[in-house]
Amino acid sequence: MYKIVSKKEIGPKVQTYEIYAPEIARNAKAGQFVIFRIDDKGERVPLTVAGADPQKGLVRIIFQETGKSTMQLASLCEGDCIKDFAGPLGRPTEIKKYGTVVAAAGGVGTAEVLPVIKELKKAGNRIITVIGARCKDLVILEDELKRESDLLLFATNDGTLGIKGFVTDVLKDIISKEKIDIMYAIGPVPMMKAVAELTRSERIKTLVSLNPIMLDGTGMCGACRVSIGGKIKFVCVDGPEFDAHCVNWEELVSRLELFKNLEKISIDKFKYNQECKCHKK
Amino acid sequence: MSQKVKMPERDPKIRKKDFKQVNTGYTRDEMLKEAKRCLQCKNPSCSRGCPVEVNIPGFIKYLAGDNPSQAVKVLKQKNNLPAVCGRVCPQENQCERLCILGKKGESICIGNLERYATDIAFENNDSIAVAEKSGVKVAVVGSGPAGLTCGGDLLKMGYDVTVYESLHSAGGVLRYGIPEFRLPKEVLDKEINNLKKLGMKIILNTLIGRTRTVKELFNESYKAIFISVGAGLPVFPGIEGENLNHVYCSNEFLVRVNLMRSFDFPNYDTPVYRGKNVVVIGGGNTAMDSARTALRLGAESVKLIYRRTEKEMPAREEERLHARKEGIEFIVLTNPVKFIGDEKKFVKAVECIKMELGDYDDSGRRHPQEIKESNYAIETDMVILALGLHPNPVLTLLTEGLNTDRHGYIIIDDNYMTSVPGVFAGGDIVGGDTVIEAMGMGKKAARSIACYLNQK
């Protein structure tokens, strides 16, 4: 059993947890992920490691309530335990001195970008971070991002923070002004795809962290397979980071739709049960 | 000459709708009748066919005397998972093939008797001879048949054994691969609990290589390590459309159903697609398990496509017969060439080509060749690929100095030792194939490990 040591809501339906898992905390590196399973009937769900404290044995995860399992996870309290917590999984981000690094993030992708820029900054890179959100209230981790970035920029759909527009609008501006050595894009698929299309013509090396459906997360099932340059790769063992210009995005998008109907059944059942519990109280 | 007592099985029409065991097991009278057929050979050939060297006439003698608990004791001297073996071993190629009665009549049903003994007297584990604890620590990586057997034997020799498992539940392929209707998970749980009672520690959610490394294990005063991480990486055919929606590899499909229990969705959280017209590709046990599982999830038709003829199928004869009785359609001498999708990238047909058998190849089987322009399409809404597995690369890539061959299998010497001193390996990760083969390797490796530790 793995204990939730701390819990904090850092945005609308976005939670940050610290889980006591000393072995994972000791070996986790930026870019890796964990798989959790709440209880005996739970499913296995991947989450990026958003940080780790090896001294205290804590692993930080940040997640948005989007499906049944994340809703259930959010309903737990400090001191509660989850059944399974496995990791760190996947290949770590390659950390070295590139020069100027631009990290673009959208949604909870922000939490995945944080450990990556932290390590890249330690390695002596200049970090420009670009965050995209629908509006100001949906921006998370602003203070921490500021601490790890040399320059922090925002794009919001309604213009309440930074420029009015998309991440790619900010990126175009940066590209026109200076040389970028490498770009990271982590967030929703449409955002990563848009960044990839922008940087392809500019010939800027771009890495993305992919988020397909996963089951075991150890390379034994192929649920998370993606086409990279026409070859099958398993995101859980070959990734999650890949060259954005080699990803078959249409395929990834369609494969993410696989269980939409069943996921809805699961969510509806969970909500109904939650309401029932409230009535009983 | 007396005929064998057949194992009773449930009506195909009923059993194909649920996940309960197909074979119901002998009654006491059936068991006695079968056990008494055994000639009790002085120099039994049957035992030589058993990879874990069970004293077969020995346990059958106790059964013939209606003493199943003594029979289990005899079984357990050599076999750490007898309830599993009684159900999933291909006895027709092993012990039963060498039974002297088989020369002129029908062999003893050794597997059925083994199963009877364990079903009746399972909890009886008290008097297994365990050597005095030496306090020497051995780590086993992977809790499949090879790991549990090696770990179990080392326990009996007095070693302090800890098994590391990457998934949230122990058993390897016995847990996630072999379906409930062949091996109830309750039976597997009992076997594993018996090993725990003997002192085996099992640590879950730990991917060796990532969560902790082989080097770290040695630093934690493990004196030897046995690697049995299996061959988990599925093979894809490399043809157009293989990433379409509802094209699964058998491992994914079976993990969802067996390990995650998605047949009981939404009571369990993991979803599974229930195909209506399912196509399974392959001819091994995994293909049979996938086809029969798809049927039990409510498929209207399940077609199994195999490129050779039924005679060459690697699946057990019993499973093939069960599958056919349940209504699985076998389409042999046929190979898929591409998967065709609809506008939303969901699979809607498999384009196949007919095959004929040509010359004999290295494996001693006739090589299938395509018959030109014999292509035709089979409509489907779900494809399950059961084309075999490659060795799992995670641990080998992350362990310095561990040599593998060009296919990724760990290289071992005659004593099951790898290129890293003190690290041994066995099972599918060194090229094994069946559950019992993996167990046999686990047993031999345990002996080598003990020998190595004694010399140190």
Side-chain angles (χ1 to χ4, degrees):
Chain A
M1 299 291 272
Y2 299 81
K3 193 173 172 184
I4 300 166
V5 175
S6 78
K7 169 181 179 171
K8 206 164 101 191
E9 189 163 10
I10 57 166
K13 298 203 183 272
V14 180
Q15 309 279 345
T16 173
Y17 279 17
E18 284 176 309
I19 310 257
Y20 184 69
E23 287 205 290
I24 304 178
R26 195 175 60 207
N27 284 324
K29 295 188 180 68
Q32 292 187 301
F33 65 94
V34 289
I35 285 203
F36 79 88
R37 192 177 75 124
I38 288 195
D39 56 30
D40 279 327
K41 292 188 172 176
E43 58 185 333
R44 295 170 66 91
V45 182
L47 287 176
T48 301
V49 174
D53 183 339
Q55 265 80 48
K56 291 185 185 153
L58 299 178
V59 176
R60 186 186 191 191
I61 49 169
I62 296 175
F63 63 95
Q64 190 168 25
E65 292 174 53
T66 49
K68 191 259 172 179
S69 293
T70 43
M71 284 175 189
Q72 191 181 354
L73 186 60
S75 75
L76 299 179
C77 306
E78 270 179 16
D80 286 347
C81 286
I82 55 174
K83 187 84 201 269
D84 301 297
F85 198 65
L89 303 171
R91 290 174 190 263
T93 303
E94 198 185 327
I95 303 295
K96 61 179 185 187
K97 191 166 176 184
Y98 297 97
T100 299
V101 178
V102 176
V108 275
T110 308
E112 302 180 29
V113 143
L114 187 61
V116 172
I117 59 172
K118 203 169 172 176
E119 291 307 311
L120 286 168
K121 189 164 168 65
K122 264 194 227 160
N125 293 285
R126 176 165 172 262
I127 310 289
I128 303 174
T129 308
V130 185
I131 302 297
R134 268 187 291 126
C135 69
K136 184 176 186 290
D137 293 346
L138 297 176
V139 171
I140 57 169
L141 302 167
E142 199 176 333
D143 294 340
E144 288 180 73
L145 291 169
K146 204 171 270 169
R147 212 180 307 141
E148 308 298 341
S149 315
D150 294 285
L151 182 62
L152 177 62
L153 300 165
F154 294 94
T156 46
N157 297 30
D158 61 357
T160 43
L161 184 63
I163 69 146
K164 184 170 189 288
F166 298 103
V167 163
T168 41
D169 296 319
V170 182
L171 294 178
K172 273 180 211 159
D173 188 45
I174 301 171
I175 291 167
S176 69
K177 285 181 188 149
E178 61 183 302
K179 182 178 170 287
I180 297 169
D181 294 293
I182 193 165
M183 175 128 20
Y184 282 85
I186 306 177
V189 170
M191 173 251 166
M192 292 194 284
K193 191 180 164 211
V195 173
E197 275 159 17
L198 173 70
T199 57
R200 186 199 305 272
S201 53
E202 304 289 337
R203 292 165 192 260
I204 299 168
K205 187 178 177 186
T206 303
L207 294 175
V208 284
S209 181
L210 301 183
N211 55 351
I213 291 171
M214 267 187 204
L215 190 55
D216 63 283
T218 63
M220 61 179 267
C221 84
C224 67
R225 67 192 190 272
V226 289
S227 296
I228 305 293
K231 288 207 174 77
I232 287 187
K233 295 282 176 189
F234 291 0
V235 172
C236 69
V237 290
D238 300 317
E241 284 177 5
F242 294 99
D243 184 336
H245 300 148
C246 299
V247 176
N248 183 334
W249 295 102
E250 286 69 30
E251 186 182 284
L252 178 64
V253 170
S254 77
R255 288 184 60 82
L256 281 167
E257 299 290 310
L258 257 179
F259 295 113
K260 274 278 146 64
N261 301 338
L262 294 171
E263 280 163 12
K264 193 171 176 308
I265 292 173
S266 206
I267 290 171
D268 290 347
K269 179 172 171 267
F270 177 72
K271 283 184 180 161
Y272 178 79
N273 287 344
Q274 288 290 97
E275 280 162 23
C276 275
K277 259 187 231 155
C278 295
H279 287 308
K280 274 175 208 154
K281 277 177 194 165
Chain B
M1 194 172 281
S2 67
Q3 287 201 318
K4 70 178 180 187
V5 182
K6 285 211 177 82
M7 175 71 103
E9 55 182 61
R10 292 163 62 229
D11 184 338
K13 281 194 211 77
I14 297 166
R15 73 185 191 224
K16 73 179 199 183
K17 291 180 179 148
D18 64 42
F19 283 86
K20 286 187 216 134
Q21 271 186 111
V22 167
N23 293 328
T24 50
Y26 281 154
T27 60
R28 178 169 163 269
D29 287 347
E30 285 166 335
M31 175 279 288
L32 287 172
K33 197 173 163 204
E34 184 63 17
K36 283 175 181 162
R37 288 176 64 228
C38 174
L39 300 177
Q40 291 292 318
C41 304
K42 286 240 159 49
N43 184 10
S45 42
C46 54
S47 290
R48 288 199 294 275
C50 172
V52 293
E53 308 150 9
V54 164
N55 174 2
I56 293 167
F59 95 83
I60 294 180
K61 192 175 180 184
Y62 281 116
L63 281 181
D66 200 12
N67 189 348
S69 53
Q70 278 302 324
V72 167
K73 276 179 202 164
V74 174
L75 281 165
K76 288 238 159 187
Q77 283 166 6
K78 295 285 182 178
N79 189 343
N80 291 315
L81 309 165
V84 170
C85 290
R87 288 173 166 83
V88 307
C89 276
Q91 288 100 3
E92 64 274 19
N93 301 328
Q94 297 174 333
C95 52
E96 291 178 14
R97 190 171 62 89
L98 296 181
C99 172
I100 198 86
L101 285 177
K103 294 235 158 85
K104 283 183 179 157
E106 290 185 307
S107 311
I108 295 286
C109 295
I110 299 164
N112 294 352
L113 291 171
E114 181 176 29
R115 173 172 160 180
Y116 179 90
T118 52
D119 282 357
I120 295 300
F122 213 29
E123 305 303 337
N124 204 323
N125 206 25
D126 315 325
S127 60
I128 302 244
V130 175
E132 204 180 316
K133 294 279 172 231
S134 66
V136 175
K137 285 169 70 183
V138 181
V140 172
V141 183
S143 68
L148 291 179
T149 299
C150 181
D153 276 14
L154 288 166
L155 272 179
K156 291 179 197 165
M157 294 178 214
Y159 293 99
D160 181 352
V161 177
T162 305
V163 179
Y164 290 93
E165 166 58 46
S166 66
L167 292 173
H168 58 257
S169 196
V173 74
L174 306 173
R175 178 74 58 186
Y176 70 76
I178 299 177
E180 193 78 21
F181 55 82
R182 283 216 286 143
L183 174 65
K185 297 305 159 249
E186 205 186 330
V187 172
L188 177 61
D189 286 338
K190 278 188 192 166
E191 294 268 43
I192 291 173
N193 280 336
N194 280 336
L195 288 168
K196 284 186 185 163
K197 274 188 226 155
L198 283 180
M200 183 183 280
K201 281 169 269 192
I202 301 183
I203 299 185
L204 304 171
N205 294 317
T206 303
L207 184 65
I208 298 298
R210 290 279 181 218
T211 312
R212 51 166 73 179
T213 60
V214 166
K215 202 174 156 196
E216 284 173 313
L217 289 177
F218 277 124
N219 289 343
E220 284 162 50
S221 71
Y222 286 103
K223 297 296 177 216
I225 297 171
F226 179 64
I227 297 174
S228 49
V229 294
L233 202 74
V235 173
F236 285 87
I239 59 176
E240 193 183 326
E242 62 190 356
N243 292 343
L244 286 168
N245 284 347
H246 297 327
V247 176
Y248 298 89
C249 94
S250 51
N251 258 15
E252 178 183 353
F253 179 62
L254 293 173
V255 166
R256 283 184 185 279
V257 178
N258 297 330
L259 175 68
M260 306 310 296
R261 307 188 84 72
S262 59
F263 58 84
D264 195 9
F265 176 90
N267 193 19
Y268 282 77
D269 291 341
T270 306
V272 68
Y273 180 65
R274 292 168 181 255
K276 286 194 184 63
N277 296 300
V278 179
V279 169
V280 178
I281 295 165
N285 285 317
T286 312
M288 297 302 148
D289 286 344
S290 300
R292 297 171 71 199
T293 298
L295 197 70
R296 283 160 172 79
L297 289 175
E300 286 159 17
S301 81
V302 180
K303 297 185 172 74
L304 191 134
I305 295 176
Y306 184 58
R307 60 189 185 136
R308 293 186 165 98
T309 69
E310 192 177 334
K311 214 174 70 198
E312 284 89 16
M313 280 187 184
R316 284 187 71 187
E317 187 190 5
E318 187 189 17
E319 305 308 327
R320 294 204 310 263
L321 289 174
H322 279 161
R324 279 228 303 269
K325 274 191 203 162
E326 288 163 12
I328 310 281
E329 190 187 332
F330 286 17
I331 302 177
V332 295
L333 288 170
T334 301
N335 215 19
V337 290
K338 74 171 177 185
F339 303 108
I340 301 161
D342 64 14
E343 65 286 355
K344 286 184 170 168
K345 290 184 184 269
F346 281 77
V347 69
K348 66 173 186 185
V350 185
E351 187 181 316
C352 296
I353 190 161
K354 291 190 178 156
M355 311 288 282
E356 58 189 354
L357 292 182
D359 291 339
Y360 289 89
D361 64 13
D362 296 348
S363 71
R365 296 187 294 182
R366 289 175 70 191
H367 189 72
Q369 294 163 344
E370 294 184 352
I371 301 173
K372 274 184 190 135
E373 289 169 28
S374 64
N375 297 41
Y376 70 107
I378 298 173
E379 275 184 43
T380 179
D381 61 329
M382 182 183 205
V383 174
I384 302 167
L385 304 166
L387 301 170
L389 301 163
H390 289 312
N392 191 312
V394 175
L395 182 136
T396 51
L397 285 177
L398 298 173
T399 305
E400 214 178 302
L402 190 61
N403 293 345
T404 56
D405 70 11
R406 64 196 169 93
H407 302 290
Y409 293 105
I410 294 178
I411 299 169
I412 51 171
D413 64 16
D414 293 343
N415 299 315
Y416 290 83
M417 182 133 61
T418 68
S419 51
V420 181
V423 176
F424 297 76
D428 287 9
I429 191 63
V430 303
D433 198 21
T434 59
V435 166
I436 191 69
E437 208 180 316
M439 291 178 63
M441 287 196 232
K443 182 170 258 328
K444 291 185 188 110
R447 244 176 254 153
S448 289
I449 291 169
C451 194
Y452 165 83
L453 291 170
N454 280 336
Q455 282 164 6
K456 268 183 85 172

